[in-house]
Amino acid sequence: MKFETLAIHKGNLITDKNKPVVQPITLSTTFEHGNEGGVLYTRANNPNRMALEELISILEKGEDAAAFSSGNAAGTAVFQALEPGSHIVAPNDMYHGLHNSMTILFKGIHEVSFVDMSDLEKVKSAIRPNTRLIWVETPSNPLLKVTDIRAISALAKAQQAILVCDNTFATPVFQNPILLGADIVMHSSTKYFGGHSDILGGALVTKKRDAFWEKVRTVQKVGGAVPAPLDCYLLTRSIRTLAYRMKGHAEHAMILAEFLLSHPRVERVYYPGLKSHPGHQIAAGQMSGFGGIVSFTVKGDASTAEKVVSKLHLFANATSLGGVESLIERRAAVEGPDTKTPQNLLRVSVGLEHTDDLLEDMNQALG
């Protein structure tokens, strides 16, 4: 079956004897022993979570998936499953929440080297004898850098390291990292999976059920950072429209990127769908679409960028991304004093409003 069909039918686990067309929400925290699904306690498993995990696993071409209460919880579970003293190679422009997890929560437990993952030679030189994990985020947040997953996979295999790819921006609609050589795929399901800015969640998908994956599963069940049944239900419902929403987001993002590229008040546009993007060829070789995030720098400083944001009407000045509504923020202001993001950069999560309205609003704000 094709993606659209799988998204609609595979996340619909019907256990109710009345055979509803849509899976019911199972709120019970405990279950009678000896039940058909082997469910015991909702922290360990739940029918709604089982359905969500099966669905995400199928869409990402993996053997198994684990759902978490947030994207940060999902990523942190990987770090928790590593043996103490492990070395991690990670992007120098990675999502700041997981960056903080590595540098704050696991300080003194693991070692981390942050490098430009779009530069293969820098990745090679960062690998040490105790490198156990290589973390990839492509396209990256917020600079939209593109990493060659196949090439990094070869390095990881030579080192016998685990390769994890954050696929939040691309989603399995546009990119399947497992097919490109990744061992585990991570998602902040808060973003495009949820799609309406009203669900918090995260997920991991594994290429195979191995010993490391069992450790991740133990972290999930014992640590207990799992999504509530209602959140799982809402996510499976939202994923039914994921393919069509992503096609709309990507179409609108390209239109906005091309508009910004020719605007006299714009300094630089970051979008892998543009042929001028340095990672365009690699992106075209591993993605079937370029996603819904566009970043750009305005001509001026941070205050100039803030003025542009203040004049917008349809782009909400807010963190996060992936909803049907357009969002914009000066990313450096959110990431703090240690950010490597240009102070005049604005990151846009391009929504599904009519593009004529979005372009008109952006044009008047830029002046």
Side-chain angles (χ1 to χ4, degrees):
M1 287 187 284
K2 303 299 184 184
F3 188 100
E4 294 83 350
T5 309
L6 291 169
I8 291 170
H9 290 280
K10 287 298 182 180
N12 208 27
L13 179 62
I14 305 299
T15 57
D16 193 301
K17 66 181 179 181
N18 295 313
K19 299 298 180 183
V21 173
V22 176
Q23 180 186 16
I25 304 168
T26 305
L27 295 175
S28 180
T29 57
T30 190
F31 301 83
E32 289 190 24
H33 293 291
N35 64 79
E36 186 178 331
V39 185
L40 180 67
Y41 186 62
T42 205
R43 172 168 52 78
N45 218 335
N46 170 280
N48 295 109
R49 195 161 92 234
M50 289 167 63
L52 174 63
E53 290 176 345
E54 179 183 0
L55 174 61
I56 295 174
S57 176
I58 288 170
L59 297 181
E60 275 291 11
K61 315 297 185 185
E63 279 193 1
D64 196 20
F68 292 83
S69 55
S70 71
N72 254 27
T76 297
V78 175
F79 312 147
Q80 285 178 283
L82 288 171
E83 292 294 326
S86 295
H87 176 248
I88 304 167
V89 179
N92 60 1
D93 62 334
M94 75 183 295
Y95 170 60
H96 78 291
L98 287 173
H99 178 282
N100 291 342
S101 178
M102 289 180 178
T103 57
I104 298 173
L105 293 183
F106 293 92
K107 184 179 181 180
I109 300 173
H110 299 318
E111 303 168 16
V112 189
S113 296
F114 295 102
V115 300
D116 181 352
M117 299 297 288
S118 65
D119 188 329
L120 199 60
E121 291 305 314
K122 289 183 179 178
V123 178
K124 283 182 183 178
S125 63
I127 293 174
R128 304 176 186 173
N130 63 329
T131 299
R132 296 291 176 265
L133 174 68
I134 299 180
W135 190 276
V136 167
E137 179 183 307
T138 184
S140 71
N141 181 10
L143 296 176
L144 284 301
K145 287 185 179 180
V146 175
T147 299
D148 188 332
I149 300 173
R150 293 183 183 93
I152 300 295
S153 173
L155 295 179
K157 284 180 172 58
Q159 177 61 25
Q160 294 186 317
I162 298 160
L163 175 59
V164 179
C165 180
D166 184 341
N167 202 32
T168 298
F169 274 24
T171 81
V173 175
F174 293 142
Q175 183 172 263
N176 285 120
I178 285 175
L179 299 184
L180 299 168
D183 299 298
I184 295 176
V185 177
M186 179 245 159
H187 283 278
S188 171
S189 49
T190 307
K191 311 303 191 295
Y192 289 110
F193 279 5
H196 296 79
S197 304
D198 56 7
I199 313 167
L200 187 67
L204 297 171
V205 183
T206 186
K207 181 178 183 177
K208 59 182 179 180
R209 294 184 179 92
D210 56 14
F212 184 79
W213 180 251
E214 289 308 314
K215 289 184 180 180
V216 171
R217 274 293 198 181
T218 299
V219 171
Q220 180 205 31
K221 294 176 181 179
V222 177
V226 294
L230 176 59
D231 291 341
C232 294
Y233 167 85
L234 290 172
L235 279 170
T236 54
R237 184 203 62 179
S238 293
I239 290 172
R240 289 181 168 198
T241 60
L242 178 63
Y244 300 97
R245 287 188 285 106
M246 289 308 299
K247 291 169 187 174
H249 285 301
E251 177 187 341
H252 291 190
M254 179 62 87
I255 291 171
L256 179 63
E258 289 177 337
F259 165 80
L260 292 169
L261 196 62
S262 61
H263 200 285
R265 297 292 179 88
V266 173
E267 183 179 72
R268 184 176 177 184
V269 182
Y270 303 80
Y271 185 65
L274 296 172
K275 291 183 179 180
S276 58
H277 189 286
H280 174 74
Q281 289 300 323
I282 293 173
Q286 65 188 23
M287 302 176 73
S288 59
F290 301 105
I293 305 297
V294 177
S295 293
F296 68 99
T297 50
V298 298
K299 289 182 178 177
D301 56 13
S303 63
T304 308
E306 295 280 7
K307 286 177 183 177
V308 172
V309 173
S310 70
K311 293 177 182 179
L312 290 164
H313 303 296
L314 295 179
F315 297 78
N317 182 15
T319 294
S320 199
L321 55 100
V324 294
E325 68 288 320
S326 293
L327 303 177
I328 191 168
E329 68 178 349
R330 189 171 71 82
R331 191 64 192 161
V334 177
E335 294 178 344
D338 296 329
T339 181
K340 294 184 180 297
T341 301
Q343 292 294 324
N344 60 338
L345 181 139
L346 297 175
R347 188 193 71 185
V348 185
S349 174
V350 188
L352 300 181
E353 304 93 339
H354 197 286
T355 51
D356 287 355
D357 296 323
L358 294 179
L359 297 187
E360 182 180 349
D361 190 30
M362 184 63 72
N363 191 46
Q364 65 81 25
L366 286 167

